[in-house]
């Protein structure tokens, strides 16, 4: 019979899964009691006062919103980015070179 190598983590995981499968599911009363003992459970009042936090919008959603509100960046209509627009500190038609860029130009 060939030997099969099994790590300690695999054995522990199998034992944990077997223990969880053998354990009866808690009732609602047991869950409420455990939550009260924990002290960190949310009450109905906490849930009512909670502020919903949504994930940030995707780049596509931001583009659609900017287009709908007419907030396109300068230069975007001629196919160039804002870096090629005139710098506010200089009278140059192109953006400042990176080595000489003033702080206001980013």
């Amino acid at each position: 019979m060939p030997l099969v190598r099994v790590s300690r983590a695999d054995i522990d995981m199998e034992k944990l899964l077997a223990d969880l499968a053998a354990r009866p599911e808690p009732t609602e009363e047991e869950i409420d009691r455990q939550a009260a003992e924990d002290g960190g459970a949310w009450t109905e009042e906490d849930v009512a006062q909670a502020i919903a936090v949504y994930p940030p919008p995707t780049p596509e959603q931001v583009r659609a919103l900017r287009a709908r509100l007419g907030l396109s960046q300068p230069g975007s209509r001629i196919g160039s980015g804002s870096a090629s627009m005139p710098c506010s500190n200089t009278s140059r038609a192109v953006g400042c070179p990176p080595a000489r860029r003033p702080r206001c130009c980013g």
Side-chain angles (χ1 to χ4, degrees), residues 29-43:
E29 292 80 25
E30 289 175 329
I31 293 172
D32 291 339
R33 180 184 51 78
Q34 291 170 356
E37 289 173 1
D38 186 26
W42 285 41
T43 63

Side-chain angles (χ1 to χ4, degrees), residues 9-94:
D10 292 336
I11 294 171
D12 290 344
M13 180 61 72
E14 290 175 13
K15 182 178 181 309
L16 173 65
L17 292 175
D19 289 346
L20 289 175
R23 185 178 298 166
E25 290 198 25
T27 63
E28 286 297 320
E29 292 80 25
E30 289 175 329
I31 293 172
D32 291 339
R33 180 184 51 78
Q34 291 170 356
E37 289 173 1
D38 186 26
W42 285 41
T43 63
E44 295 295 326
E45 183 179 326
D46 293 336
V47 173
Q49 293 177 355
I51 299 171
V53 178
Y54 299 99
T58 63
E60 293 80 22
Q61 291 171 327
V62 172
R63 277 189 220 103
L65 178 63
R66 290 182 63 84
R68 191 179 73 200
L69 297 175
L71 297 174
S72 64
Q73 294 183 357
S76 63
R77 294 182 188 180
I78 57 174
S80 61
S82 60
S84 64
M85 296 307 292
C87 179
S88 62
N89 266 359
T90 64
S91 60
R92 301 176 68 154
V94 261

